[in-house]
Amino acid sequence: MKKQIIEKIYRVVVYLRLSSDDGDCQESDSISNQRILIYDYLNEKPEFSVVKECVDDGFTGTNFSRPGFQEMMKLIEDGEADCIIVKDLSRFGRDFSGVLQYVERILPKMGVRLILVNDNYDSIFPNRDFLTLRLKSFINDIYPADTSKSVRANLYAKMIHGQCVAPFAAYGFLKSPEDKHKLIIDPVAGAVVQDIFHLKLKGHSLNEIADILNVRGILPPLVYKRVYLKQDLHTGFKLNSNSKWEATMVRRILLDERYTGVLIQGKRTTPNHKVKKVIQKSEDEWVRCENTIEPLVSTHVYKVVQHLMKHDTRKSLNGLALLSGLVECADCHQSMIRKSPNRTNFYYICSTSLYEKECQPHSFSEKKLIEIVKDSILYYISLMVELDKTLQYVKTISLPESKMYAADQQMKVLEEECARLLDIKKKLYDSYCEGLLDEEEFIAFKKKYNETLKQTEDTIKRQRTEISNMLSTLEKHQEWMRHFLIYKDANEIDRIMVATLVKRILVHSGKRISIEFWYSDEYERVVSLLHMVNNIQPGYPLTSFFDVKGGIKDAQNK
């Protein structure tokens, strides 16, 4: 048998790639199968000498920032290899323009031979089919784009149905062993989260909370997940050889609404499957699913904490103040500072008048203020007790719906407003016809009043629905009343009680105090409904409640 004359020995780099991001999930595309196919091709081909095998396992082909690919090109640039063998064009890359740039320009310029085994392509032969190669490259580029679109659609469908698609659960939660898309409470970290919210309610600053957690020896979130949960992950939390709790970690937890039982996903995205730059979405684009997780804190506690974080709750030399972060100047609405001339008697002073001299100087004794707040809170709680009894009575009586509509004073005001807006619209048209308004003015005014009219009509519609479902409406209102009723037997006040019931304490320049309680709007709506019921069917519990209620303004304004 005549021996084959070998004119040149090619130094070969075997390139293998696989990525689930591109939809490369077929068995034939596995790294081991690619290797077998290429070495079968090389069998009995003495003109090839393999110098290196470069592998990119888990790297997308939509770009060339792959360690294996970069290693291969470095070998070629250094003159250690002059031939690349790949299973097919899709393994080389899936970026249409980038692949053709390498195949038709870069590699030929460098004198490198390219062999695509399954595509029956060898760059050394002059009769190679460039049109087919371009078509295959184009198809390979479309494939990951289509896969990416399908994956995104699938993830979005899971998110809107309340399924967690994140690879790891947030601190305080665990992935359910039965269903990886469901979150359950982590008993260890969950208790820490609850402690953090409780400490904030007590008036501690973020730094103080971090110090308390460090003294207790509690592991910070990332360390806890790595050490206790054995998770290998990276987050925004800082990690070093002496990792401890910091104010930023505490802040992230206190701002995270997921602890109220709301699953929030889809905060970030990328422009497309090729560009991996992370884009932060606006809040209205987030996917929110209520009541999909067991809450660690109530919605009310979360709202109170968000309110407190906007105010000064720093600890003084005498420790935490009972009213810390709640006292505001009624004129400039800035937090008032707690000061003492002798470290015995404390006063709240307007910070704006003290430092910037832009507000009237006024102060108030802390001791007197605490007495006023105490009396007001205890009185307000007693009013809630009476309100609860009154609502229980209302549930027992039957009221005609038509009479309720007629008796609702707020409904009457809204209907009068609707009639007024319709009359204005008619006069606008008359003015336009008479030439008093030009077309541009008419359109602008018409748009403005149409929007106002629609808002008023929507409010009337909601009001009618509320009246039609009055019992369920009253049940809903009783939910927020529970935050007050749990203190019905209290004779004294403490920090947690004050923070969860009082939203702000306003100090006026004339030594007058006004107190704004949480859920004051909801309270007024319930009272409005009870006035309507009392107008239709007066009864002792209702009249008794309104007699007691008469003192509420005195309690709120002292």
Side-chain angles (χ1 to χ4, degrees):
M1 186 175 179
K2 191 175 182 179
K3 289 187 178 180
Q4 182 181 0
I5 299 175
I6 301 174
E7 296 181 355
K8 180 180 179 179
I9 300 294
Y10 285 93
R11 293 162 297 165
V12 175
V13 178
V14 173
Y15 181 67
L16 315 170
R17 186 188 67 80
L18 183 70
S19 169
S20 57
D21 289 348
D22 299 340
D24 302 334
C25 54
Q26 298 180 27
E27 177 60 28
S28 62
D29 287 335
S30 72
I31 295 294
S32 58
N33 284 347
Q34 291 179 49
R35 184 180 289 112
I36 291 169
L37 185 143
I38 291 173
Y39 282 97
D40 280 348
Y41 171 82
L42 290 172
N43 191 29
E44 297 183 359
K45 289 185 173 62
E47 68 270 25
F48 296 112
S49 173
V50 177
V51 296
K52 184 72 175 178
E53 182 182 285
C54 297
V55 181
D56 281 320
D57 193 355
F59 290 87
T60 180
T62 57
N63 62 65
F64 296 98
S65 299
R66 314 170 223 149
F69 188 89
Q70 295 300 323
E71 182 187 9
M72 175 181 70
M73 294 307 298
K74 182 71 167 54
L75 289 169
I76 291 170
E77 289 169 2
D78 292 343
E80 297 179 28
D82 55 8
C83 180
I84 300 172
I85 300 182
V86 194
K87 176 200 165 190
D88 56 37
L89 194 62
S90 68
R91 300 305 90 211
F92 188 84
R94 289 189 180 275
D95 179 20
F96 176 68
S97 59
V99 167
L100 291 183
Q101 184 80 0
Y102 271 99
V103 173
E104 297 183 358
R105 297 192 180 201
I106 297 175
L107 296 182
K109 187 177 180 179
M110 298 175 75
V112 177
R113 182 177 178 182
L114 175 64
I115 298 174
L116 309 172
V117 179
N118 271 9
D119 291 336
N120 196 27
Y121 175 86
D122 190 338
S123 62
I124 202 172
F125 297 114
N127 61 343
R128 55 190 182 274
D129 190 347
F130 278 113
L131 182 60
T132 302
L133 193 68
R134 284 174 172 267
L135 184 59
K136 284 183 177 180
S137 181
F138 180 66
I139 293 171
N140 289 335
D141 196 351
I142 293 175
Y143 185 62
D146 186 59
T147 302
S148 174
K149 184 178 179 181
S150 299
V151 169
R152 289 184 186 225
N154 185 43
L155 289 175
Y156 182 74
K158 288 181 178 180
M159 285 191 285
I160 62 175
H161 285 92
Q163 297 184 35
C164 178
V165 299
F168 298 102
Y171 181 74
F173 297 105
L174 296 170
K175 288 210 167 190
S176 171
E178 290 79 24
D179 183 358
K180 67 178 182 179
H181 297 302
K182 182 180 178 181
L183 298 181
I184 58 175
I185 290 177
D186 180 343
V188 178
V192 176
V193 170
Q194 290 172 331
D195 281 346
I196 289 172
F197 275 88
H198 185 74
L199 289 168
K200 187 59 190 173
L201 286 178
K202 290 180 72 174
H204 290 282
S205 68
L206 301 182
N207 282 316
E208 289 168 1
I209 295 172
D211 291 340
I212 291 170
L213 296 174
N214 288 325
V215 169
R216 292 178 182 176
I218 296 172
L219 296 176
L222 184 54
V223 179
Y224 170 80
K225 290 185 176 185
R226 286 184 170 177
V227 175
Y228 192 82
L229 301 180
K230 309 299 182 185
Q231 294 178 355
D232 183 18
L233 75 167
H234 301 275
T235 73
F237 291 115
K238 186 178 179 181
L239 181 67
N240 53 46
S241 58
N242 191 28
S243 186
K244 294 181 178 181
W245 281 92
E246 295 181 1
T248 52
M249 301 177 186
V250 175
R251 178 181 173 81
R252 289 185 187 187
I253 289 173
L254 292 175
L255 291 176
D256 199 333
E257 195 180 354
R258 288 176 293 183
Y259 295 121
T260 65
V262 181
L263 183 60
I264 304 173
Q265 301 182 103
K267 290 184 176 183
R268 293 173 286 273
T269 187
T270 55
N272 54 54
H273 65 289
K274 292 183 179 180
V275 181
K276 299 305 179 183
K277 180 184 176 182
V278 177
I279 298 173
Q280 301 292 334
K281 291 185 178 179
S282 59
E283 192 170 336
D284 58 347
E285 293 181 289
W286 296 354
V287 180
R288 299 168 53 91
C289 289
E290 308 278 345
N291 304 317
T292 54
I293 322 171
E294 185 180 350
L296 281 167
V297 296
S298 69
T299 303
H300 176 59
V301 167
Y302 178 80
K303 288 180 179 178
V304 171
V305 166
Q306 305 315 299
H307 179 70
L308 290 174
M309 288 179 69
K310 299 175 184 176
H311 297 77
D312 183 8
T313 57
R314 287 175 294 180
K315 185 168 64 174
S316 67
L317 295 174
N318 291 59
L320 291 169
L322 180 67
L323 308 180
S324 177
L326 297 174
V327 185
E328 295 181 15
C329 171
D331 296 332
C332 64
H333 294 285
Q334 296 298 312
S335 294
M336 297 190 74
I337 299 175
R338 185 172 177 259
K339 293 282 186 179
S340 174
N342 53 16
R343 296 191 178 181
T344 302
N345 300 312
F346 287 86
Y347 295 85
Y348 279 99
I349 303 172
C350 176
S351 58
T352 308
S353 66
L354 185 64
Y355 298 116
E356 299 177 16
K357 311 298 182 184
E358 294 180 359
C359 187
Q360 293 183 6
H362 52 282
S363 62
F364 206 94
S365 165
E366 181 187 46
K367 185 177 179 180
K368 291 182 180 179
L369 187 58
I370 289 174
E371 286 299 319
I372 292 173
V373 171
K374 174 186 172 182
D375 291 344
S376 298
I377 289 176
L378 295 180
Y379 180 80
Y380 203 86
I381 291 171
S382 68
L383 184 68
M384 289 299 155
V385 173
E386 292 299 320
L387 179 59
D388 186 52
K389 292 177 183 177
T390 307
L391 293 179
Q392 298 299 332
Y393 163 74
V394 170
K395 291 179 185 178
T396 64
I397 61 178
S398 177
L399 298 169
E401 194 171 302
S402 58
K403 287 188 177 181
M404 287 194 289
Y405 289 146
D408 189 354
Q409 296 300 317
Q410 192 173 351
M411 180 81 78
K412 289 179 180 178
V413 172
L414 290 169
E415 287 173 344
E416 288 173 1
E417 178 65 9
C418 266
R420 186 183 74 84
L421 291 170
L422 287 169
D423 185 54
I424 290 174
K425 283 183 65 178
K426 182 179 179 300
K427 290 178 179 177
L428 277 175
Y429 182 72
D430 292 341
S431 298
Y432 173 63
C433 293
E434 293 171 6
L436 299 175
L437 292 174
D438 60 31
E439 185 176 358
E440 185 178 345
E441 291 174 326
F442 172 69
I443 292 173
F445 280 121
K446 182 182 177 183
K447 181 181 178 182
K448 174 186 174 182
Y449 285 108
N450 277 342
E451 289 174 354
T452 308
L453 182 61
K454 186 179 184 307
Q455 290 174 359
T456 308
E457 288 173 342
D458 289 343
T459 305
I460 291 175
K461 188 177 180 181
R462 287 195 301 271
Q463 195 93 333
R464 287 183 176 275
T465 303
E466 270 195 2
I467 293 173
S468 299
N469 306 307
M470 191 179 70
L471 290 181
S472 61
T473 301
L474 294 177
E475 285 282 356
K476 182 180 178 182
H477 281 297
Q478 282 184 298
E479 292 176 10
W480 62 261
M481 289 171 55
R482 294 189 183 98
H483 300 301
F484 294 87
L485 295 175
I486 59 175
Y487 296 110
K488 64 181 180 181
D489 298 322
N491 294 316
E492 298 294 334
I493 60 174
D494 58 27
R495 170 64 192 184
I496 299 293
M497 183 179 180
V498 173
T500 53
L501 300 186
V502 176
K503 193 169 187 179
R504 57 177 57 89
I505 302 162
L506 297 171
V507 179
H508 299 260
S509 54
K511 297 290 183 181
R512 184 171 63 86
I513 304 298
S514 60
I515 300 173
E516 181 183 341
F517 290 93
W518 282 95
Y519 302 103
S520 57
D521 291 340
E522 287 82 351
Y523 166 78
E524 292 298 335
R525 181 58 191 142
V526 173
V527 171
S528 175
L529 288 171
L530 292 180
H531 270 299
M532 176 189 67
V533 173
N534 191 48
N535 290 336
I536 299 171
Q537 191 171 320
Y540 169 72
L542 286 164
T543 54
S544 175
F545 167 74
F546 288 117
D547 288 341
V548 175
K549 178 187 173 293
I552 188 62
K553 289 194 179 296
D554 295 331
Q556 289 178 306
N557 299 278
K558 295 220 174 187

